[in-house]
Amino acid sequence: MSKPAAPLKGRAARLARLMPSTGPSTAARTPFVLLVVLLLGGGLITLLLLNSALNEGSFRLSELKRDTTELTDEQQALQRDVDSRSQPDALERRARELGMVPGGSPAFLDPDGTVRGNPTEATAPPPSPDPTPSPRASAGAAADPDAPATGASGSASPSGSAPVAEPGPAAESDSATAPAAESTPPPTSPGR
């Protein structure tokens, strides 16, 4: 048998009365401690998974931002290229390289079939003294000097009016008095 414990005196006795220590009470704490440890462990694992998901999203976001920046730069470069090629002097130079000439005065058909205006043939201006003609312009001009004044793709001149085809021999004599079937005026479109 064990000896009875010596009675405590003073402050120790008062503390012993406030918190009695018995054997069965420590066994009741074990499920509570396990619950707290499981909750803390589950919280830490959840935080770890959440943190890794956020990091993955952050990497994806930075990758998408980089792609967006690259595509924006490419789009701006293409827009600069389009702007430089669509300037009037660049369009005129390119049209001349293709063998196009400025259109003559257009004529229009009214809904009742009458012709308004006096159509004139588009003629090439005299060649300017150019020391180094481009190979495209010389190849296009040398291929067929009597060809209609449209480009290789049949597109209209840069001014928006298409050149008029050369009238036939029968239409030359009375082109001012009656409309010729061969020289119908080109469709017009409003400018930009």
Side-chain angles (χ1 to χ4, degrees):
M1 276 213 159
S2 69
K3 291 183 183 177
L8 298 172
K9 297 180 182 176
R11 184 182 275 182
R14 283 181 286 177
L15 286 174
R17 278 182 290 197
L18 289 175
M19 298 180 72
S21 62
T22 58
S25 66
T26 57
R29 282 191 223 172
T30 305
F32 177 72
V33 170
L34 285 176
L35 177 67
V36 169
V37 167
L38 286 175
L39 286 176
L40 287 176
L44 287 175
I45 290 173
T46 303
L47 284 175
L48 179 66
L49 292 175
L50 182 63
N51 192 17
S52 66
L54 287 175
N55 283 339
E56 183 181 337
S58 175
F59 286 134
R60 180 75 177 139
L61 181 64
S62 64
E63 180 183 323
L64 290 174
K65 282 182 180 179
R66 188 185 69 240
D67 291 346
T68 301
T69 303
E70 289 174 4
L71 290 173
T72 301
D73 292 344
E74 182 181 349
Q75 187 261 344
Q76 288 174 353
L78 290 172
Q79 187 63 44
R80 280 192 305 269
D81 189 35
V82 166
D83 290 343
S84 69
R85 291 177 188 238
S86 64
Q87 292 175 351
D89 58 339
L91 286 174
E92 180 182 7
R93 185 181 71 249
R94 181 74 176 126
R96 290 199 190 280
E97 287 175 1
L98 292 172
M100 300 171 91
V101 295
S105 122
F108 303 97
L109 284 177
D110 285 332
D112 61 354
T114 60
V115 178
R116 284 185 22 209
N118 193 9
T120 59
E121 180 179 341
T123 57
S128 63
D130 192 16
T132 56
S134 68
R136 285 184 152 181
S138 62
D144 189 9
D146 295 329
T150 59
S153 62
S155 61
S157 67
S159 64
S161 63
V164 178
E166 293 184 23
E172 284 181 2
S173 62
D174 58 346
S175 64
T177 58
E182 298 91 24
S183 63
T184 57
T188 59
S189 62
R192 284 197 255 178

